Amino acid sequence: MKLKDYNLTKEELIEMAETYMNETFKRYDFIADENHDELIYDENGDSYLDFLGGIAVNSVGGCNQRVIDAINDQAKTLIHASNYFYTVPQTLLAKLICETIGMDKVQFQNSGAEANEAMIKLARKYGNEKYGNGRYKIVTALNSFHGRTLATLSATGQPGSAIHKGFEPLVDGFKYAEFNNLKSFEEAATDDVIAIMIEPVQGEGGVYPASEEFMKGLRKLCDDKGMLLLLDEVQTGWGRTGKIMGYMNYGIKPDAVTMAKAMGGGMPIAAMCATNEAMQALSAGSHGTTFGGNPVCCAASYAAISEIVDKKLSENAYEMGNYFREKLSTLPHVKEVRGLGLLVGVEFDSDIAMDLKHDAFEKRLLMSVVKPNTIRMVPPLMISPEDIDKAFDIISSCIND
């Protein structure tokens, strides 16, 4: 469905959207009509360099041909069944995921928030069954982000923020500790705590990677106290950080891990993976989903993950991320450049991020703002040095302007 097919002007479509849609996003003055690889096109056919990446979704590029073919082939035979039946795409995808990342079991969901919700339920039920009803709390990090459902926004360690405000009382059972501060987590891990839930890189929080000492320390802490280590890799999973999964940068393995965004090639799909011991807690009837593991989404995900693995896109993310961060660190007014792989954050010495975002848009580069002084960029994993140079030149010229 494209604008020209409906005899509408851009202004008419925007007016229609504002009339009938509840807006919780501050949209660009832009109609996304097509996207291919690293470019997204407006209604006039003008191209923009997409370092927003569908918010870290378009990791194999826009309209990847392998994903398109998988969607088309599957849609001809089985669009939906239900989880009362076995399907080939779901089963093959489960095998591919578990064997690629070294986990035992997978539970499919529709979104990152749902996957995190499932992981929270897993931890609570595991704690109740193994230790009794008094051990159900989860420690998360300050400045974290885990989703917008009531449980996941309660898990999000941003007290007093717009994410929490107005939704009180929050769901009981969450405690916050300081990110990258092992002692803070050790103090929070009291006898009523069953799990620690962490992002390998705090994306929405400003692109702060965890340190190796911190992550290994959390793994040991969980082992010593009989707790589960839960990793939210909704944004960092499937090649984004320079490894297939973010935790692989640290030489550890979680008890459970969530994923979404990149795994669908643009289609809505998510998953929660866990060890056999942990996953036993979610027995028949304890969790479910109507659309999770939909055949078309699973076929797309199988194609997208295969593309990431076969073309070694995580390795490209590692190389291009290092190259991009090194260039960005030479810009004026840059306080710090952070990230892993192609999850890149730039913090400036003043609150110029929003102005920079809009100025870059005028020069056809898309990015996001995560703090008033910080931009985040998550381009497709197949991005080239030439595209990075183009993005750098635009950012540089915007700062100079």
Side-chain angles (χ1 to χ4, degrees):
M1 301 173 78
K2 300 181 68 172
L3 190 66
K4 65 181 181 181
D5 300 329
Y6 291 86
N7 197 29
L8 288 168
T9 65
K10 175 182 178 179
E11 292 71 25
E12 287 171 336
L13 187 78
I14 291 174
E15 182 182 358
M16 189 185 301
E18 292 176 347
T19 300
Y20 296 108
M21 295 170 62
N22 182 51
E23 296 291 2
T24 58
F25 287 85
K26 293 183 179 179
R27 298 179 189 260
Y28 284 93
D29 183 21
F30 177 87
I31 295 175
D33 233 26
E34 291 186 37
N35 71 328
H36 299 284
D37 298 327
E38 76 284 3
L39 298 175
I40 188 165
Y41 298 82
D42 66 14
E43 73 282 359
N44 298 315
D46 294 327
S47 64
Y48 293 70
L49 196 55
D50 188 10
F51 276 46
L52 176 62
I55 316 180
V57 167
N58 296 331
S59 289
V60 294
C63 290
N64 177 277
Q65 192 60 51
R66 192 169 182 172
V67 174
I68 290 172
D69 292 343
I71 292 170
N72 287 339
D73 290 346
Q74 186 59 44
K76 293 174 185 175
T77 57
L78 182 69
I79 292 178
H80 180 75
S82 85
N83 284 316
Y84 287 111
F85 307 110
Y86 298 103
T87 67
V88 172
Q90 191 181 89
T91 307
L92 292 182
L93 177 60
K95 180 176 185 289
L96 176 63
I97 289 173
C98 289
E99 290 185 350
T100 302
I101 70 171
M103 299 299 284
D104 297 323
K105 298 286 187 182
V106 60
Q107 179 112 31
F108 290 111
Q109 307 294 321
N110 301 292
S111 68
E114 286 182 58
N116 283 337
E117 186 97 13
M119 190 161 65
I120 291 166
K121 289 178 67 177
L122 172 83
R124 282 202 175 193
K125 196 156 185 290
Y126 177 88
N128 286 333
E129 290 181 351
K130 187 166 184 176
Y131 299 107
N133 292 333
R135 196 165 182 188
Y136 66 95
K137 293 185 178 179
I138 299 173
V139 183
T140 66
L142 290 167
N143 204 41
S144 60
F145 180 83
H146 296 293
R148 300 277 186 177
T149 66
L150 274 175
T152 56
L153 71 84
S154 299
T156 294
Q158 298 187 41
S161 70
I163 295 169
H164 284 183
K165 192 174 180 180
F167 297 107
E168 301 88 352
L170 301 182
V171 174
D172 177 44
F174 297 98
K175 302 169 70 175
Y176 310 131
E178 187 179 341
F179 188 68
N180 269 338
N181 185 334
L182 184 58
K183 184 178 180 181
S184 180
F185 273 82
E186 289 172 344
E187 292 172 349
T190 48
D191 291 341
D192 55 356
V193 170
I194 188 55
I196 289 172
M197 182 173 174
I198 205 83
E199 302 159 274
V201 182
Q202 290 190 327
E204 293 291 327
V207 192
Y208 289 95
S211 70
E212 184 173 344
E213 179 185 10
F214 177 63
M215 293 294 276
K216 287 185 173 178
L218 291 182
R219 178 68 275 176
K220 185 177 186 303
L221 176 63
C222 288
D223 291 340
D224 290 346
K225 296 183 72 73
M227 301 184 302
L228 299 177
L229 179 59
L230 315 177
L231 294 187
D232 174 352
E233 296 232 30
V234 168
Q235 187 167 161
T236 56
W238 296 109
R240 176 59 55 189
T241 66
K243 297 284 187 182
I244 291 296
M245 299 300 290
Y247 65 80
M248 295 175 180
N249 288 283
Y250 303 99
I252 64 165
K253 180 180 175 181
D255 297 291
V257 59
T258 54
M259 58 195 70
K261 292 187 181 287
M263 70 179 290
M267 294 293 282
I269 186 170
M272 186 266 291
C273 292
T275 62
N276 280 323
E277 181 188 355
M279 194 68 94
Q280 287 177 6
L282 286 187
S283 53
S286 63
H287 193 65
T289 169
T290 298
F291 290 106
N294 168 273
V296 178
C297 292
C298 284
S301 181
Y302 190 93
I305 289 174
S306 297
E307 186 87 341
I308 291 168
V309 174
D310 293 349
K311 293 191 175 179
K312 299 183 180 353
L313 295 186
S314 59
E315 296 178 15
N316 189 66
Y318 176 80
E319 294 172 3
M320 293 299 99
N322 287 342
Y323 176 65
F324 196 20
R325 284 192 298 276
E326 187 175 329
K327 287 180 71 76
L328 290 166
S329 65
T330 67
L331 290 171
H333 300 289
V334 168
K335 182 178 178 181
E336 187 177 26
V337 180
R338 298 185 293 268
L340 279 179
L342 281 171
L343 177 48
V344 179
V346 185
E347 181 180 345
F348 298 94
D349 58 15
S350 60
D351 293 348
I352 65 169
M354 192 60 71
D355 288 338
L356 182 59
K357 167 186 166 179
H358 290 297
D359 290 348
F361 171 70
E362 295 298 324
K363 298 183 179 184
R364 298 187 185 175
L365 170 66
L366 305 181
M367 64 179 73
S368 63
V369 172
V370 289
K371 299 285 183 183
N373 64 348
T374 306
I375 59 171
R376 177 185 58 185
M377 291 173 283
V378 280
L381 302 183
M382 17 65 63
I383 206 76
S384 67
E386 292 75 21
D387 289 325
I388 285 176
D389 290 343
K390 289 178 188 176
F392 173 82
D393 289 343
I394 291 173
I395 296 168
S396 179
S397 67
C398 290
I399 292 173
N400 289 331
D401 289 345

